[in-house]
Every structure is written in C-alpha cells, then in structure tokens.
C-alpha cells in the first residue's frame, strides 16, 4: 500500500460502501466475552446507539450484526469496520493532516492499537484487560478523519472514545481534550462500567490507553526496575547486592510483563506466574522472560539451581499464581520479595483467574455464570493470601503492586487486615514510590520520536543523559540516588532493546530534569539535529496526575486521600499552559470508581513558543502534586517544595505548620 493510499483510507472515516465482514482472527489475543448485563430493552438501546454512526442504508445489515456481536461478546465492537491497513506508529508526515499536532496524535493513537503493542487490538484494548482506546471501530475511524482535517484553530473533543466533534478554538489551546469514564460519582461501580460500556456510552480508559500515551511495556519496565531495586534496598539493609535473591509475582500481561525484564535489570532471580499461554508466549518470544515452565515439579529444581548459582534469570510459571505460592511454601523455598500483578482492578471480567480452573473454563464461566465465577475468585483470593501469609511469616517482604490486590483480597475475606483495619502489607507507593520518587517530583516522563526513526531515539537518549549528568553534579544528597539510578537507566536503555512499537523512551525525572530535557529536545529539533518533532508526556501514574487512595496517593496521611482535586486541577492547569492534548479519566490501574487521573501530551516542534509553553506546563504538572503532598505534611515533598520556591519566582505555596501530637493529645484529654 502506498503512503497516498494509506492517507486516503485514514481520511475516509466511515466508508461510503459497506466493507466486507472481517473474520475473527484466532491468532490474536482477544478480550473475554463481557458480562451479559443489559436487559432486553437496554440491548435494543445499545444497538440503536451503535447504529447512529452509520447512514440508514447500512442499518438493515448492521442491526443484525450488532445484535449478534452483543450476544457473542457482550459488546458491539463493529469488527467489520476495522481498517485493512496495518495500524502502527509511522513517520508523522505519513498521516494525512493539516495540523502537525493532529498528526502526532494520530501516531500515538496508532501505536496504542498496534497488534504488536495492544493486548486485545481488535477490541481496541491496549492493556490491563479493559484499557480502551475507543469502544468501537466507528469511533476510531471518525476520530482519525477529524484529526486528518482539523486545523490549529480547532479542538477535537472525545467523550470516552466517542468523537463529539471539532470545535473552534485558538492555536494556544489543546488540539484535543479527552475524558474517559467520567460519571456521576454514585454511578461508578464495576457493574455500572459493564452497563455503560455495553450501551456504548462510556469506557474505561486505564491511564495511557485512552489518553494515547502508551509506549509498550517499556513504559513500565523502568518504573518496575526502580520499584524492585528500591524494594531490594529495603531488604538489603547493609547494601548487599540482590544476587541469588528471589522475587515472585504474577502476570505477564501489558504492564506486568515488564516484571521479569525489570527483575533481571535489577539483578534478582524472578519467577512470574501467568495463566494465559498466549501472554506467556508473547513475553518469551520478545525475550522478556528467559525460560518457561508449565510444570511446577520441573520449575522448583530450576529455582533452587538459580538460587545456589546466584544466576540472574527470569522464569515463567505457566499456571496459576496461587499454585505457585503454595508450592514454594510447601517446598520451603525462601522468597525475598513478593508481589502480585494480576489485573484485580477488574476482578470479575478477566482480570483475575481463579485457581483450580483452566484459563478457558474461567473465560466461559465469567460470562455464563457470573455468580459462580465471583465465588471462585473469592475462594482463590483467600487461598492466595493464606499462602502469601505463610511466606511473610518466614520473612518475605510483600508489597501490593497497585493492582487492588489487597483491596479485593480484603473484600473477599482474605486475611490481609491488621487489627486497626489497615492492610497488613504496604502498597508499593506507601513504601517505595511515594517517599522515594513522587514526593520529590520524580515520575514517569516519556517521549516519542515522531520521525519513527531509531536514530532519533539514540540522539534523544544521549541528550537526556547529558542533562542528567549535569544535574547530578549540583543535586542535593536527598535526590542524588534517584538521579544516578535514572542516569544509569538511560545510558543502558538502548542496549536493553526496550522498544516495542513507537520509537519511545521513558525516563523518571523531576520537574527540573523534565524541563531541561524537553528544552534540549526543542533546541535539537529547531537545529534539525532531531529530524522531526518529539512528543513528550507521561504515565498518569505520577506525582500530580493521579488521585488514587490505595495507590498513587496512598502515602497521603492527612485524610485527603479520597479527594480528587489534585488530578482534576492538574488537567485543567496543563490545558491552559500549553498541552497539545489532555485527558481526564475515572478508573485506571485500580478500577472504575477507585481513582481519578489525568495526563497530557505535548508536541515539541522546535519553536520558541513551544519552549515557553513546556517550561510553564511541566513546572505546573509536577509542582501541583508536590504542593499537595507538602500540604499533607510529607517531609520529602516539603523539602522539594522549599527548593522549588527558592528557584522559581512567582511560586508561592501555602505550607503547613506541623502541630505537636502531644499537645493535641493533651487538648483532647481536657476537651
Ligand atoms: N507494573 C506496574 O508498574 C503497575 C503499576 C500499577 C498498577 N499495576 C497494575 O497491575 C495489574 C496488571 O496490569 P497489566 O497491564 O499487566 O494487566 P494485564 O491484564 O495485561 O495482565 C495481567 C495478567 O495476569 C494474568 N492473571 C490473572 N489472574 C492470574 C492468576 N490467578 N495467576 C496467574 N496469572 C493471572 C492474566 O492472564 C494477565 O495476562 C493492573 O491491575 C495494573 O493496574 C501495574
């Protein structure tokens, strides 16, 4: 297909003739059948909703087809409208456009739906089991068409995948504003999502799926490596290395698939359980996991050998995590660090597979008999926590990986609560990411080279490494370890062959680092050293991006962790300071109704206006969260904020006075 043919097809939107039906591709990983939740009249409404994307002449055929899709899959994906071209990141100018910012957004959308990148590409799910880019293929086609024709005086508005339309705006406003899953708070349960999504009126955008900022598992390898490395520092109190130590967890999916690679980068042995053979195969074929064992009796001697030989190796157990934890306990194998990355933010709809049932059996049961499936999940979680408790009783350091494991285990009646009602294990944010990264402003900054050329990525890596080397020299001791871990990461990133999909890089950085790197990119684009614009952005899982009481804001202890002002303010603030696109989501990581998060994308095009915007926007994007964390009396954030106020004229933040606890105790006694 020539580039012109491709451009014409992208700009076509809904085709004037009905395309031929598409066969269901068995080679690809598909979303499980969703819960049959709609009443008969609601099903009619779902079909009517779906048909409004199409001219009446198609309705006869499509009404039947959509009714069939709803009955077979629990959703109307409109498979027939999946385009015939390969959806993947390409050079920015290969996308038809009148606005280069719009073309950059098309590149990012395409990457999120690439068969090599997305978890269930034909159901438009990028990761996390239900992290959707769009709800159906009509939304994809219309969005791409709008982007192909929009100018820098318009803004595209997208409601949960639905392209509401192009609205006149001005060149300094975002080109795109996305919201995902925003509902009235009282209508935010798991079943509400099932229902609204089946009706085609809302979607779960995860974090970087529905905001078009996913960069493949690399995005999470860095964060996971930081987490494992710092978890290692917790157990290696005298600074011993992680050689010969063992890390056990579950999941080789979208994000969880990063665990074996990150463990190897951190120098620790890993055993990761995964029930889905296709997911195991994907990670194995990508070289992200070294060896696969479907048989526990063969795995155990291999683990023992790895420990005694102090190997750095990653092993996959193709089976259920509950069986793995129990077997390791029965065999008295000491696990140094443990976690879990099943998709428990989505426990009843394919995120968690209960023990004692095959993968296919579970998939059948969850739609045929949701009640029995729920019960199986509940029993499995109790067994899993019992097995984990046996290990922690022997000294294993276990942490919740932000997948709602402790939350769902406690709801299931698992033994995970302390007498005071708090969880007996920390979340990785409480112990590691919060105090060590977020409170100082370090978060998952990332960029994508719009030339799609690996040579540009090498250049950006070198630029970022130079910036960090310079910053380390003048850094205070409190953040030097982080900076040097990140410098090491960026120097090794090319060698670790982390790119899957777009030419992208992640690099944890604080406000100063993000700004200096982005300014240096802008200069290199202006001087044509980098051959095309660069998109900068971040995971929502960041300092300011996410209000999530059991994850990103779990280390906020002033009672405000159930508020979501920070994330909402963040998106509003980014949008008027120069972001190219912004997105605000209900749900992401820990589940619908459990979190509000937002993010941005910004096209770095080498102009002076862009430098001004990026300085202003990145400064706010990080310091909003630091200010909130400082107000919550987090010491590290108070330190970071004080430092920022000293170097940023115009920044004046309310800082807390710290009251004496004894004084309050005394006052209470007398009250
Ligand atoms: N990696 C991170 O840094 C990070 C951070 C925050 C949260 N999370 C959370 O981790 C979870 C996983 O994310 P993902 O993108 O990998 O999701 P995913 O759905 O792509 O992968 C999860 C995998 O777990 C497997 N699985 C489910 N139940 C299992 C069981 N009982 N035993 C063994 N395997 C089982 C599934 O088959 C699936 O492949 C999500 O809830 C996500 O929000 C990850």
């Amino acid at each position: 297909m020539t580039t012109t043919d491709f451009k014409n097809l992208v700009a076509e939107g809904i085709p004037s003739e009905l395309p031929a039906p598409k066969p269901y591709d068995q080679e690809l990983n598909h979303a499980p059948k969703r819960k049959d939740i709609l009443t008969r009249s609601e099903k009619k409404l779902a079909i009517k909703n779906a048909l409004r994307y199409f001219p009446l002449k198609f309705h006869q055929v499509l009404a039947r087809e959509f009714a069939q899709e709803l009955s077979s899959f629990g959703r109307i994906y409109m498979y027939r409208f999946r385009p015939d071209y390969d959806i993947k990141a390409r050079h920015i100018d290969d996308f038809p456009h009148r606005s280069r910012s719009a073309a950059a957004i098309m590149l990012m959308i395409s990457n999120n739906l690439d068969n090599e990148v997305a978890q269930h590409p034909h159901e438009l799910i990028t990761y996390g089991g239900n992290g959707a880019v769009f709800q159906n293929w009509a939304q994809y086609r219309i969005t791409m068409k709008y982007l192909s024709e929009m100018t820098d005086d318009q803004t595209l508005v997208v409601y949960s995948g639905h392209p509401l339309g192009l609205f006149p705006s001005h060149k300094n406003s975002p080109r795109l504003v996305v919201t995902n899953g925003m509902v009235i708070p009282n209508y935010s349960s798991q079943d509400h999502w099932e229902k609204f999504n089946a009706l085609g009126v809302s979607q779960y955008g995860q974090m970087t799926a529905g905001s078009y900022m996913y960069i493949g598992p690399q995005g999470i390898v860095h964060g996971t490596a930081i987490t494992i490395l710092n978890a290692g520092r917790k157990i290696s109190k005298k600074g011993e290395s992680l050689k010969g130590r063992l890390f056990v967890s579950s999941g080789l999916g979208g994000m969880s698939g990063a665990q074996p690679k990150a463990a190897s980068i951190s120098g620790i042995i890993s055993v990761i359980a995964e029930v889905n053979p296709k997911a195991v195969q994907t990670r194995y074929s990508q070289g992200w996991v070294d060896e696969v064992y479907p048989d526990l009796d063969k795995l155990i001697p291999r683990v023992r050998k790895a420990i005694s030989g102090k190997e750095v190796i990653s092993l996959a157990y193709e089976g259920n995590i509950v069986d793995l934890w129990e077997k390791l306990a029965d065999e008295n194998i000491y696990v140094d660090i443990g976690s879990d990355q099943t998709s428990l933010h989505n426990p009843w709809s394919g995120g968690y597979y209960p023990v004692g049932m095959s993968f296919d059996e579970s998939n059948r049961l969850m739609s045929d008999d949701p009640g029995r499936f729920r019960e199986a999940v509940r029993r499995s979680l109790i067994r899993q926590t019992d097995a984990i408790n046996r290990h922690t009783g022997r000294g294993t350091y276990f942490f919740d990986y932000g997948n709602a494991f402790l939350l769902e285990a406690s709801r299931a009646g698992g033994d995970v609560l302390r007498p005071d009602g708090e969880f007996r294990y920390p979340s990785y944010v409480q112990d590691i990411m919060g105090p060590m990264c977020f409170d100082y402003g370090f978060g998952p900054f990332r960029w994508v080279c719009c030339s799609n050329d690996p040579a540009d990525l090498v250049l950006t890596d070198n630029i970022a490494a130079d910036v960090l080397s310079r910053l380390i020299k003048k850094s205070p001791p409190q953040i030097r370890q982080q900076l040097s871990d990140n410098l090491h990461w960026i120097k090794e990133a090319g060698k670790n062959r982390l790119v899957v999909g777009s030419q992208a890089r992640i690099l944890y950085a604080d406000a100063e680092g993000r700004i200096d790197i982005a300014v240096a990119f802008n200069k290199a684009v202006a001087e044509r050293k980098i051959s095309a614009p660069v998109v900068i952005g971040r995971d929502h899982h960041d300092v300011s991006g996410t209000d999530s009481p059991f994850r990103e804001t779990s280390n906020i202890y002033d009672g405000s962790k159930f508020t979501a002002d920070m994330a909402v303010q963040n998106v509003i603030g980014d949008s008027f300071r120069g972001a190219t696109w912004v997105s605000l989501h209900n749900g992401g990581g820990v589940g619908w109704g459990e979190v509000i998060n937002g993010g941005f994308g910004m096209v770095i095009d080498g102009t002076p206006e862009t430098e001004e915007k990026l300085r202003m926007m990145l400064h706010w994007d990080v310091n909003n969260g630091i200010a909130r964390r400082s107000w919550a009396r987090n010491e590290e954030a108070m330190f970071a904020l004080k430092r920022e106020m000293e170097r940023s004229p115009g920044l004046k933040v309310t800082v807390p006075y710290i009251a004496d606890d004894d004084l309050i105790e005394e006052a209470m006694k007398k009250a």
Side-chain angles (χ1 to χ4, degrees):
M1 182 179 294
T2 65
T3 308
T4 311
D5 292 341
F6 170 71
K7 285 185 176 177
N8 289 338
L9 287 172
V10 171
E12 180 185 35
I14 301 294
S16 50
E17 295 302 323
L18 202 55
K22 292 262 178 330
Y24 190 77
D25 185 345
Q26 298 292 354
E27 294 300 303
L28 280 179
N29 203 342
H30 287 279
K33 183 180 173 187
R34 305 297 188 191
K35 195 169 169 180
D36 182 12
I37 196 163
L38 302 183
T39 61
R40 191 176 152 73
S41 65
E42 286 168 341
K43 283 181 182 161
K44 287 202 260 175
L45 183 59
I47 295 165
K48 193 169 182 185
N49 285 348
L51 288 173
R52 62 187 152 169
Y53 288 105
F54 304 99
L56 297 184
K57 63 178 180 175
F58 293 172
H59 286 197
Q60 184 79 18
V61 175
L62 293 183
R64 277 186 166 190
E65 192 164 298
F66 292 168
Q68 194 55 50
E69 282 193 16
L70 193 57
S71 138
S72 307
F73 308 111
R75 297 290 187 274
I76 301 171
Y77 296 114
M78 311 180 181
Y79 286 119
R80 178 195 284 267
F81 290 92
R82 189 165 51 74
D84 290 319
Y85 54 80
D86 286 341
I87 303 184
K88 58 180 188 187
R90 300 160 191 257
H91 190 287
I92 184 173
D93 293 329
D94 287 355
F95 293 97
H97 65 271
R98 295 167 73 192
S99 151
R100 259 190 145 195
S101 296
I105 296 168
M106 293 163 105
L107 183 163
M108 301 294 284
I109 289 176
S110 304
N111 189 59
N112 273 22
L113 291 172
D114 182 340
N115 284 357
E116 300 293 315
V117 174
Q119 186 184 16
H120 308 307
H122 289 185
E123 288 79 31
L124 303 109
I125 300 291
T126 303
Y127 70 97
N130 55 354
V133 189
F134 298 100
Q135 299 177 66
N136 57 55
W137 286 103
Q139 295 179 342
Y140 164 83
R141 281 180 174 263
I142 298 169
T143 300
M144 293 299 269
K145 179 175 166 53
Y146 278 142
L147 287 168
S148 75
E149 61 199 26
M150 81 182 288
T151 66
D152 284 336
D153 293 310
Q154 288 172 304
T155 293
L156 176 63
V157 175
V158 175
Y159 286 7
S160 283
H162 168 64
L164 190 72
L166 290 172
F167 290 75
S169 60
H170 58 83
K171 77 176 182 9
N172 286 327
S173 55
R175 297 279 68 79
L176 169 68
V177 176
V178 177
T179 46
N180 279 306
M182 300 312 295
V183 292
I184 304 303
N186 273 349
Y187 300 84
S188 206
S189 70
Q190 187 74 18
D191 272 354
H192 284 119
W193 164 69
E194 295 274 5
K195 186 173 207 161
F196 302 148
N197 195 222
L199 283 171
V201 296
S202 191
Q203 76 174 11
Y204 187 81
Q206 272 281 10
M207 294 190 157
T208 54
S211 63
Y212 324 141
M213 198 39 81
Y214 190 68
I215 56 168
Q218 173 194 180
I220 221 74
V221 175
H222 185 27
T224 312
I226 288 175
T227 306
I228 297 175
L229 211 59
N230 285 316
R233 288 185 182 126
K234 284 194 155 299
I235 58 163
S236 308
K237 298 242 160 42
K238 293 186 201 124
E240 328 73 285
S241 94
L242 291 176
K243 275 230 151 131
R245 307 260 194 163
L246 178 61
F247 170 62
V248 170
S249 185
S250 56
L252 288 175
M255 290 197 279
S256 49
Q259 293 176 106
K261 182 102 186 168
S264 296
I265 290 172
S266 310
I268 191 168
I269 303 160
S270 59
V271 184
I272 312 294
E274 168 58 64
V275 281
N276 181 347
K278 278 192 179 140
V280 175
Q281 210 36 51
T282 303
R283 294 302 174 217
Y284 181 62
S285 65
Q286 287 169 346
W288 287 50
V289 59
D290 299 321
E291 295 173 18
V292 176
Y293 292 85
D295 182 349
L296 279 173
D297 290 327
K298 297 213 168 93
L299 174 71
I300 295 297
R302 184 66 188 91
V303 174
R304 287 212 164 93
K305 184 166 166 257
I307 295 173
S308 62
K310 299 199 167 179
E311 294 173 61
V312 175
I313 191 152
S314 56
L315 310 173
Y317 167 52
E318 192 178 307
N320 200 292
I321 183 64
V322 181
D323 290 324
L324 177 64
W325 278 121
E326 288 178 348
K327 182 77 173 175
L328 289 166
D330 293 345
E331 295 281 336
N332 273 318
I333 293 186
Y334 183 73
V335 178
D336 295 275
I337 304 175
S339 194
D340 185 83
Q341 272 205 55
T342 55
S343 276
L344 271 164
H345 68 271
N346 175 31
W348 324 118
S349 191
Y352 183 85
Y353 287 83
V355 65
M357 223 177 267
S358 76
F359 182 65
D360 291 335
E361 265 178 275
S362 289
N363 280 336
R364 271 194 303 276
L365 196 64
M366 72 182 75
S367 70
D368 294 351
D369 192 344
R372 255 183 70 211
F373 183 73
R374 258 179 122 99
E375 184 49 29
V377 168
R378 202 184 68 76
R379 276 189 273 112
S380 184
L381 281 170
I382 291 176
R383 255 174 79 177
Q384 186 169 341
T385 48
D386 286 347
I388 289 168
N389 292 345
R390 283 168 73 193
H391 287 276
T392 55
R394 295 173 192 167
T396 298
Y397 171 66
F398 182 87
F399 62 91
D400 181 289
Y401 215 130
N403 59 339
F405 172 73
L406 289 174
L407 183 66
E408 289 304 335
S410 68
R411 286 174 177 166
D415 181 11
V416 289
L417 293 176
R418 292 193 316 224
D420 64 2
E422 294 292 320
F423 294 131
R424 61 194 275 184
Y425 303 116
S427 96
Y428 74 124
V429 173
Q430 279 176 300
D431 251 23
I432 300 167
M433 298 303 285
M436 294 180 181
C437 295
F438 295 161
D439 287 352
Y440 287 117
F442 287 90
F445 181 58
R446 57 188 53 192
W447 62 88
V448 174
C449 296
C450 292
S451 60
N452 209 29
D453 181 352
D456 273 345
L457 187 60
V458 174
L459 269 170
T460 55
D461 283 350
N462 293 340
I463 291 172
D466 286 348
V467 169
L468 288 194
S469 306
R470 186 171 47 73
L471 290 180
I472 282 180
K473 289 192 194 123
K474 54 170 192 166
S475 64
Q478 286 89 336
I479 61 170
R480 205 164 295 147
Q481 177 77 62
Q482 290 301 336
L483 283 169
S484 81
D485 285 351
N486 297 333
L487 179 60
H488 176 72
W489 162 266
I490 196 70
K491 284 189 168 163
E492 296 292 309
K495 280 181 235 158
N496 282 324
R497 293 186 296 116
L498 297 154
V499 169
V500 179
S502 59
Q503 293 300 316
R505 185 66 73 222
I506 178 163
L507 174 64
Y508 267 65
D510 62 0
E512 190 178 23
R514 299 183 208 204
I515 293 170
D516 287 5
I517 291 168
V519 168
F521 288 172
N522 200 46
K523 189 160 173 277
V525 174
E527 291 167 354
R528 297 185 191 280
K529 289 185 182 145
I530 300 176
S531 70
V534 176
V535 165
I536 60 166
R538 58 167 173 74
D539 194 337
H540 298 189
H541 176 50
D542 196 6
V543 184
S544 324
T546 297
D547 278 301
S548 179
F550 301 108
R551 209 170 85 174
E552 284 79 354
T553 38
S554 58
N555 73 324
I556 300 282
Y557 301 106
D558 69 351
S560 72
K561 68 178 179 177
F562 295 98
T563 64
D565 298 302
M566 176 180 75
V568 176
Q569 286 277 0
N570 214 62
V571 170
I572 296 171
D574 283 354
S575 75
F576 66 75
R577 286 182 175 85
T580 309
W581 74 98
V582 288
S583 63
L584 182 66
H585 300 197
N586 166 23
V590 287
W592 174 272
E594 306 284 359
V595 47
I596 298 289
N597 57 90
F600 75 89
M602 188 182 219
V603 178
I604 301 296
D605 60 3
T607 61
E609 297 80 42
T610 294
E611 179 173 331
E612 200 183 327
K613 286 182 191 172
L614 75 84
R615 283 184 184 281
M616 216 179 343
M617 198 211 65
L618 289 173
H619 185 269
W620 157 255
D621 189 64
V622 178
N623 283 303
N624 168 38
I626 296 183
R628 186 268 174 106
R629 290 165 183 277
S630 156
W631 184 240
R633 295 180 284 259
N634 290 11
E635 269 174 39
E636 294 81 1
M638 290 174 73
F639 166 85
L641 185 70
K642 185 162 172 281
R643 195 167 162 248
E644 192 61 64
M645 285 203 279
E646 280 161 10
R647 68 178 170 212
S648 297
L651 180 68
K652 279 184 181 295
V653 176
T654 320
V655 291
Y657 295 98
I658 311 290
D660 178 358
D661 287 333
D662 292 340
L663 183 90
I664 297 170
E665 185 61 44
E666 205 48 38
M668 287 294 290
K669 274 189 209 148
K670 291 186 180 144

